């Protein structure tokens, strides 16, 4: 029997054949079937930038393996694909190339779709959608109108994050270390009107539901919890001396309020300018505010600003003891936290302690530990633990934990404070001053005010007769045919809103629309969403932990409250795959280390590229690019292809029941290895998606096949055992290299399609080892080996090891100190 004849693995012909067959037969089309258990597999959809990159290949290959595996396990699988098609690159390309964003976008979609199809991904292309299509964003506009009517959308003038390069506003979540998330240019503060979603109304639920997302990585949940940022404490009013204004502060340590020796307010706080106006500190404060804003936006990732502040020239009065307290503006106070103003207690907060020492501000101890007495003269750091109140009037002697409630109640009774829970999360600003986005369906009337577009008039489509200039400003702002309209209430002249929605709005609900992309009677079809949602497995990058994932959770809850959904969370399980790394850094054009998937597919085929991306690293880890690894994957497929074609033709004996007792040793070894491999691969995929170790197990099985059927073998392998092993290899590898396996499955005489073949089961008895090889060491050095039964007891194993003639020779007259047993592996005799 010749194991490896010269047989050509023509990957181009094979992959084209199966790609065309799958597309022409709609092999992966899904539909609701209440009699079957569903599985919704989804990867984050791409922006149609023009070409897929290796990050796409890795993400979508992981998802495709899961989808194909679940089909083989009997699930009714929904695996859709579409395009996150609005965004700045299309508009910038239109300006640069004097074309329309829609033309650029749809041309890119066509090209990238062909790339994805060439990779053999098992998508239901009947459900394809593009978010720039009015048939999609009309429903998004409907959500907006309904939310406006419910008071969950509002417009206000606010200081926004402005990117001059992109000519648009950014949400807080889109400013990364002071830079625009899209273009990496510095962001500047600017005052303007904008539309906001009241995500803060859902802050408590968004936080609480994190505890129920047991299928999410803990690091993602931690990031979300921190971003939501719940704090429980007290809100207290401090009157400003000589003014009618009140400085409202929030503190999580009301038990230390008698120790406040200064106030810290954020540079962006609306009172800062008013407090300093007319004082000798006015100029210094203005310069500090401007400098701090620029430093905050320009700081590098992980960089901490030196704690700085300036006196505003004003004092406030502590309502608990009437003490006069200086008001500082400080660069470490966040406007988005609490009220943007905090009381500073340097004796019991380390940041305040350092600030007070730097600026010579008094320190007052108001909490003493139980086992010692603090003295200001010897205080080297703030005491931040619990203790007993002192210097706190009628609250002296109270335990600091219990004192918090008493102090809050006192403030409430006196009318200058109350208990408060606050969140770091701020409402989602969704207004963007660009053209290529979903128009905001609002109309401004001088007589009636802001009015929503009537639902029956939706969608408000983007006009196509637009011209772009080099400034990057949206043409909607000056296009009369678009903004001139009539008020839906009084029929008078009115102006249409010319801002468009943040593109994260589109990606916040697309997963639900996939369940019914052609439904025209509403945004979602009840029967479809009730059957398919929630998404069972979602896959994407960890960089979306806050932006996209938090917004999708929020949108799921508002769609539920609008009556469209019954679920609370969009994604049951989340996998955040690692990046693709080359030459020590993430692949990027700027670093010149990009590997084009097209080139790899041309040279090696899609299945080789898929196999390498799965084998090189576990999904959650970064993948280090390795050219030799791609070559190795290609060689492996060639070797398997040649073996199967040479040893299993279409007339070879089909797999039947095998009686291990009637097999010779070589056949029994291969039979056992086959069932061990099925057990290993099934566990690796089912438990943690560790495809790399699953592939490694199949490689071990193929090595066993080669070694037991080679020319040097003395025992002939039973043909049914070979066929069992070959079929198992094809079934186990099919989700990973589908063209390759489908072709060989057909070539070896199977009439049924692999797409509809069940995942193999293993026989626990067949997978048991006949004997184990145990290494015997004396003082850590290998001195012999034993063949033993798998179920041998530890005591019997010790006795056999000590009775071995070779081991007795090495022990000699020395005294045995102990015998160490590592189960199923080794025995180490320690003697001296």
């Amino acid at each position: 029997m010749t194991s490896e004849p010269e047989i050509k693995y023509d990957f181009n012909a094979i992959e084209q054949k199966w790609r065309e067959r799958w597309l022409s037969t709609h092999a992966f089309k899904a539909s609701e079937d209440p009699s079957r258990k569903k599985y919704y597999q989804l990867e984050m959809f791409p922006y149609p930038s023009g070409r897929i990159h290796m990050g796409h290949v890795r993400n979508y290959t992981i998802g495709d393996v899961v989808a194909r595996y679940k089909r083989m396990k009997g699930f009714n699988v929904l695996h859709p694909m579409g395009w996150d098609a609005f965004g700045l690159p299309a508009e910038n390309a239109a300006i640069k190339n004097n074309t329309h964003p829609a033309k650029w976008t749809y041309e890119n979609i066509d090209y990238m779709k062909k790339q994805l199809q060439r990779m053999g991904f098992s998508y239901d292309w009947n459900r394809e959608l593009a978010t720039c299509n009015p048939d999609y964003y009309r429903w998004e506009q409907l959500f907006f109108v309904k939310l406006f009517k419910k008071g969950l959308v509002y417009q206000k003038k606010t200081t926004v994050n402005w990117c001059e390069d992109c000519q648009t506003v950014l949400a807080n979540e889109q400013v990364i270390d002071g830079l625009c998330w899209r273009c990496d240019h510095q962001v500047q503060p600017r005052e303007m009107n904008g539309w906001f979603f009241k995500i803060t109304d859902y802050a408590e639920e968004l936080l609480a539901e994190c505890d129920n997302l047991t299928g999410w990585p803990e690091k993602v949940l931690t990031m979300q919890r921190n971003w939501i940022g719940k704090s429980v404490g007290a809100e207290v009013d401090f009157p400003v001396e000589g003014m009618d204004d009140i400085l409202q502060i929030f503190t999580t340590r009301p038990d230390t309020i008698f120790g406040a020796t200064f106030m810290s307010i954020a540079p962006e706080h609306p009172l800062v300018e008013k407090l300093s106006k007319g004082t000798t500190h006015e100029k210094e404060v203005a310069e500090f505010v401007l400098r701090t804003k620029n430093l905050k936006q320009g700081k590098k990732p992980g960089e901490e600003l030196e704690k700085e502040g300036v006196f505003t020239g004003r004092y406030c009065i502590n309502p608990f003891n009437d003490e006069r307290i200086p008001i500082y503006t400080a660069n470490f106070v966040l406007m988005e936290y609490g009220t943007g103003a905090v009381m500073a207690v340097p004796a019991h907060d380390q940041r305040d302690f350092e600030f007070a020492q730097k600026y010579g501000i008094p320190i007052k101890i108001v909490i003493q530990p139980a086992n010692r007495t603090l003295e200001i003269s010897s205080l080297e750091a703030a005491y931040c633990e619990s203790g007993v109140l002192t210097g706190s009037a009628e609250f002296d002697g109270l335990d600091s934990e219990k004192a918090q409630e008493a102090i809050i109640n006192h403030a409430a009774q006196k009318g200058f404070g109350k208990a408060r829970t606050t969140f770091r999360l701020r409402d989602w600003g969704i207004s963007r001053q660009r053209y290529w986005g979903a128009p905001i369906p609002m109309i401004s009337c001088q007589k009636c005010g802001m009015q929503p577009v009537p639902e029956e008039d939706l969608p408000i489509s983007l006009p196509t007769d637009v011209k772009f200039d080099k400034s990057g400003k949206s043409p909607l702002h000056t296009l009369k045919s678009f903004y001139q309209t009539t008020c839906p209430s009084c029929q008078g002249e009115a102006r249409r809103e010319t801002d468009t929605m943040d593109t994260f709005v589109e990606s916040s609900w697309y997963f639900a629309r996939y369940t019914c992309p052609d439904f025209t009677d509403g945004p979602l079809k009840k029967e479809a969403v009730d059957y398919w949602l929630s998404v069972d497995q979602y896959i994407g990058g960890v960089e979306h932990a806050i932006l996209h994932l938090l917004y999708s959770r929020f949108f799921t809850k508002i769609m539920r409250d609008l009556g469209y959904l019954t679920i609370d969370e969009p994604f049951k399980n989340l996998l955040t795959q690692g990046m693709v790394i080359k030459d020590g850094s993430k692949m990027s054009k700027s670093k010149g280390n990009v590997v084009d998937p097209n080139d790899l597919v041309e040279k090696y085929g899609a299945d080789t590229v898929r196999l390498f991306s799965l084998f090189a690293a576990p999904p959650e880890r970064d993948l280090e690019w390795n050219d030799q690894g791609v070559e190795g994957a290609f060689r492996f497929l060639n070797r398997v292809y040649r073996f199967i074609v040479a040893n299993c033709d279409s007339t070879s004996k089909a797999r039947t029941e095998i009686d291990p007792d009637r097999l010779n040793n070589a056949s029994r070894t291969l039979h056992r290895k086959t069932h061990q491999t099925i057990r290993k691969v099934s566990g690796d995929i089912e438990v943690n998606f560790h495809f790399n170790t699953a592939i490694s197990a199949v490689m071990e099985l193929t090595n066993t096949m080669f070694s037991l059927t080679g020319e040097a073998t003395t025992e002939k392998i039973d043909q049914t055992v070979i066929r069992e092993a070959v079929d198992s290899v094809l079934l186990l590898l099919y989700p990973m290299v589908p063209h390759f396996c489908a072709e060989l499955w057909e070539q070896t005489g199977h009439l049924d399609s692999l797409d509809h073949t069940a995942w193999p089961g293993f026989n626990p008895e067949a997978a048991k080892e006949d004997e184990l090889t145990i290494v015997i060491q004396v003082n850590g050095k290998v001195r012999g080996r034993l063949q033993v039964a798998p179920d041998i007891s530890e005591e019997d194993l010790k006795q056999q090891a000590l009775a071995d003639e070779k081991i007795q020779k090495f022990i000699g007259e020395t005294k045995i100190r102990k015998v160490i047993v590592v189960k199923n592996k080794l025995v180490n005799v320690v003697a001296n």
Side-chain angles (χ1 to χ4, degrees):
M1 180 183 295
T2 303
S3 59
E4 295 190 51
E6 288 302 317
I7 299 170
K8 179 178 173 57
Y9 165 44
D10 188 352
F11 61 83
N12 272 322
I14 291 170
E15 291 178 358
Q16 182 177 351
K17 168 187 171 179
W18 288 98
R19 181 169 64 248
E20 291 175 355
R21 183 178 297 186
W22 289 331
L23 289 173
S24 64
T25 61
H26 302 282
F28 309 111
K29 184 177 181 179
S31 58
E32 298 90 68
D33 183 351
S35 69
R36 297 178 62 196
K37 189 173 181 180
K38 67 89 181 181
Y39 194 90
Y40 187 174
Q41 165 61 46
L42 184 63
E43 304 91 60
M44 295 180 185
F45 65 168
Y47 179 78
S49 57
R51 302 175 77 87
I52 64 171
H53 52 66
M54 285 308 302
H56 289 131
V57 170
R58 190 183 191 202
N59 184 353
Y60 301 147
T61 300
I62 292 168
D64 195 53
V65 174
V66 177
R68 290 179 182 270
Y69 169 75
K70 290 296 182 179
R71 288 192 194 97
M72 297 177 78
K73 294 290 285 185
F75 288 88
N76 185 20
V77 174
L78 173 60
H79 190 207
M81 176 50 69
W83 311 95
D84 190 8
F86 274 139
L88 290 173
E91 198 164 337
N92 292 339
I95 295 170
K96 181 179 179 180
N97 301 314
N98 193 28
T99 186
H100 195 279
K103 182 176 184 294
W104 184 86
T105 298
Y106 281 109
E107 286 176 352
N108 287 349
I109 287 174
D110 288 343
Y111 186 81
M112 291 177 69
K113 182 177 180 179
K114 290 183 176 67
Q115 287 185 295
L116 295 180
Q117 289 174 340
R118 190 169 184 185
M119 291 302 303
F121 299 135
S122 60
Y123 294 127
D124 180 356
W125 286 106
N126 296 284
R127 295 173 183 266
E128 180 185 12
L129 57 80
T131 59
C132 62
N133 190 322
D135 289 341
Y136 179 85
Y137 67 74
R138 67 173 293 193
W139 305 118
E140 187 174 309
Q141 292 174 336
L142 178 66
F143 291 146
F144 187 103
V145 169
K146 288 184 178 293
L147 292 174
F148 178 80
K149 292 176 180 178
K150 286 176 66 74
L152 289 169
V153 173
Y154 64 93
Q155 187 184 44
K156 70 173 182 179
K157 175 165 275 191
T158 183
T159 300
V160 297
N161 305 302
W162 177 259
C163 177
E164 185 64 27
D165 191 67
C166 295
Q167 284 287 303
T168 194
V169 169
L170 304 174
N172 289 339
E173 294 88 341
Q174 294 167 321
V175 180
I176 311 298
D177 301 306
L179 305 178
C180 172
W181 75 284
R182 174 71 76 179
C183 71
D184 286 337
H185 280 73
Q186 187 167 324
V187 174
Q188 300 288 344
R190 178 177 286 193
E191 285 262 328
M192 62 171 55
N193 277 327
W195 290 98
F196 291 80
F197 284 153
K198 291 190 72 175
I199 191 173
T200 52
D201 277 17
Y202 289 82
E204 192 72 69
E205 185 183 356
L206 286 166
L207 182 63
E209 285 288 331
C210 284
D211 294 339
N212 298 328
L213 297 175
T214 56
W216 285 40
E218 190 56 40
K219 64 180 178 181
V220 174
L221 295 175
T222 297
M223 293 169 74
Q224 293 224 347
R225 289 186 182 107
N226 291 341
W227 189 260
I228 296 167
K230 181 179 181 179
S231 297
V232 178
E235 190 174 84
V236 182
D237 296 337
F238 284 69
V240 178
E241 185 182 65
M243 298 175 65
D244 294 331
D245 294 276
I246 295 291
L247 183 62
Q248 192 174 74
I249 65 98
F250 172 77
T251 178
T252 58
R253 292 291 306 273
D255 53 315
T256 66
I257 202 160
F258 285 86
T261 59
F262 66 100
M263 289 290 161
S264 301
I265 63 176
E268 303 88 353
H269 196 288
L271 270 181
V272 168
E273 184 178 354
K274 189 175 183 181
L275 289 172
S276 63
K277 191 171 184 178
T279 72
T280 57
H281 300 273
E282 183 176 3
K283 182 180 178 182
E284 182 185 14
V285 168
E287 291 173 349
F288 173 79
V289 168
L290 180 61
R291 184 173 74 253
T292 301
K293 287 181 179 178
N294 290 333
L295 284 173
K296 279 185 176 181
Q297 289 164 345
K299 75 183 183 71
K300 297 176 182 178
E303 180 184 3
E304 287 291 330
L305 297 178
E306 181 185 349
K307 297 176 183 65
E308 292 184 323
V310 295
F311 178 45
T312 63
R314 293 283 184 178
Y315 294 80
C316 62
I317 305 300
N318 188 331
F320 281 88
N321 56 14
D322 293 330
E323 286 189 359
R324 194 166 177 251
I325 300 175
I327 304 172
Y328 283 72
T329 180
N331 64 356
F332 54 80
V333 183
L334 304 174
M335 190 62 219
E336 61 267 25
Y337 177 78
T339 61
V342 296
M343 67 178 194
V345 185
H348 305 293
D349 181 278
Q350 186 60 30
R351 181 189 62 190
D352 297 343
F353 181 82
E354 294 170 4
F355 191 92
Q357 286 196 318
K358 181 174 182 176
Y359 292 100
I361 300 171
I363 297 174
K364 182 180 179 183
I365 296 170
V366 292
I367 294 180
Q368 291 286 359
N371 57 352
R372 58 194 172 97
T373 301
L374 301 176
E375 298 288 347
I376 292 176
S377 58
S378 60
L379 201 65
E380 296 181 353
Y383 176 74
C384 304
E385 308 301 321
S386 58
V388 177
L389 266 65
T390 183
S392 300
E394 67 263 40
F395 305 102
D396 280 0
L398 286 180
D399 175 81
S400 58
E401 297 291 331
K402 295 179 180 177
Q404 293 199 20
E405 184 178 356
I407 287 173
I408 292 173
N409 289 339
H410 178 81
Q413 291 170 5
K414 295 293 185 179
F416 54 72
K418 61 182 179 181
R420 184 187 168 188
T421 298
T422 188
F423 294 89
R424 180 174 181 262
L425 181 68
R426 285 293 175 263
D427 284 336
W428 177 10
I430 59 120
S431 292
R432 299 294 178 267
Q433 292 66 46
R434 298 302 296 248
Y435 164 79
W436 194 234
I440 293 176
M442 296 297 293
I443 294 171
S444 176
C445 174
Q446 288 189 344
K447 180 180 177 182
C448 305
M450 276 293 177
Q451 301 291 310
V453 172
E455 294 180 12
E456 60 271 19
D457 291 348
L458 299 175
I460 301 301
S461 299
L462 280 175
T464 57
D465 56 334
V466 294
K467 292 183 179 180
F468 297 91
D469 59 40
K470 297 297 181 182
S471 72
K473 292 181 180 179
S474 170
L476 297 180
H477 301 319
T478 56
L479 190 65
K480 289 184 179 180
S481 61
F482 178 75
Y483 70 71
Q484 285 184 341
T485 187
T486 57
C487 173
S489 295
C490 71
Q491 308 307 312
E493 290 184 1
R495 182 181 177 93
R496 191 183 304 284
E497 174 62 76
T498 56
D499 282 358
T500 53
M501 292 192 223
D502 180 4
T503 56
F504 277 99
V505 179
E506 283 87 67
S507 60
S508 293
W509 72 285
Y510 78 109
F511 55 88
R513 184 63 181 175
Y514 272 144
T515 68
C516 51
D518 298 323
F519 188 57
T520 58
D521 294 338
L524 299 172
K525 184 180 180 182
K526 177 175 173 51
E527 296 81 3
V529 294
D530 286 351
Y531 178 75
W532 290 114
L533 294 178
S534 299
V535 173
D536 293 281
Q537 182 65 60
Y538 199 36
I539 302 176
V542 72
E543 65 271 18
H544 300 291
I546 294 173
L547 289 167
H548 165 60
L549 291 172
L550 185 63
Y551 293 157
S552 295
R553 296 182 62 215
F554 164 62
F555 239 77
T556 298
K557 297 176 191 306
I558 62 175
M559 288 189 292
R560 174 201 63 195
D561 292 348
L562 290 173
Y564 294 110
L565 298 179
T566 58
I567 59 171
D568 298 319
E569 290 288 338
F571 315 119
K572 289 180 184 176
N573 298 289
L574 173 68
L575 172 65
T576 52
Q577 90 279 356
M579 297 184 295
V580 180
I581 305 294
K582 188 172 187 288
D583 303 328
S585 59
K586 180 181 177 182
M587 282 190 182
S588 69
K589 292 180 181 178
S590 62
K591 293 185 174 68
N593 63 349
V594 171
V595 175
D596 190 337
N598 277 9
D599 295 341
L600 292 173
V601 173
E602 287 289 340
K603 185 175 181 180
Y604 300 106
D607 281 337
T608 293
V609 178
R610 289 171 61 119
L611 188 67
F612 169 75
S613 70
L614 295 166
F615 183 61
E620 70 278 6
R621 301 278 185 85
D622 289 346
L623 185 158
E624 183 69 41
W625 184 262
N626 184 308
D627 291 334
Q628 289 73 34
V630 181
E631 290 278 1
F634 186 60
R635 285 196 303 272
F636 170 72
L637 292 182
N638 274 274
R639 191 175 183 218
V640 173
Y641 186 86
R642 291 194 298 268
F643 177 91
I644 293 177
V645 171
N647 290 288
C648 297
D649 60 30
S650 62
T651 61
S652 61
K653 192 173 180 181
R655 186 167 56 165
T656 59
E657 287 297 322
I658 296 172
D659 182 359
D661 294 334
R662 301 182 65 179
L663 298 177
N664 59 29
N665 287 335
S667 297
R668 189 161 54 250
T669 297
L670 181 55
H671 178 58
R672 180 171 58 247
K673 187 65 174 178
T674 297
H675 284 266
Q676 289 174 341
T677 304
I678 296 171
R679 179 179 61 190
K680 169 68 173 169
V681 173
S682 300
D684 285 347
I685 294 178
E686 194 69 46
V687 176
N688 50 22
F689 295 159
H690 278 194
F691 309 119
N692 58 322
T693 54
I695 293 168
S696 180
V698 177
M699 289 177 171
E700 289 182 18
L701 173 58
T702 59
N703 286 339
T704 301
M705 292 160 54
F706 296 138
S707 65
L708 293 177
T709 58
E711 293 179 357
T713 57
T714 58
E715 291 184 302
K716 184 177 181 181
I717 301 292
D718 189 296
Q719 186 64 29
T720 60
V721 174
I722 294 178
R723 186 57 183 263
E724 176 191 49
V726 166
D727 284 357
S728 297
V729 166
L730 295 178
L731 288 164
L732 296 176
L733 284 180
Y734 170 70
M736 304 158 194
V737 286
H739 314 85
F740 175 90
C741 293
E743 177 65 19
L744 287 172
W745 188 258
E746 185 177 80
Q747 282 191 32
T748 52
H750 290 283
L751 300 178
D752 55 327
S753 167
L754 254 183
D755 303 322
H756 305 291
T757 302
W759 184 258
F762 69 91
N763 183 332
E765 289 300 317
K768 280 185 178 179
E769 290 283 357
D770 285 346
E771 287 186 329
L772 294 175
T773 299
I774 302 296
V775 172
I776 309 174
Q777 298 175 337
V778 177
N779 295 327
K781 294 184 177 180
V782 176
R783 299 304 188 187
R785 287 176 172 79
L786 284 176
Q787 297 298 123
V788 301
D791 57 353
I792 189 172
S793 69
E794 184 172 313
E795 188 58 35
D796 286 346
L797 181 58
K798 287 182 180 179
Q799 293 303 319
Q800 286 194 37
L802 293 172
D804 186 275
E805 290 184 7
K806 292 181 180 178
I807 302 306
Q808 288 181 347
K809 176 184 174 183
F810 283 106
I811 294 174
E813 299 299 322
T814 59
K815 185 177 180 180
I816 297 173
R817 299 295 181 184
K818 58 182 174 180
V819 180
I820 301 169
V821 175
V822 178
K823 189 176 180 180
N824 296 339
K825 289 188 177 181
L826 64 83
V827 176
N828 183 23
V829 180
V830 180
N832 53 42

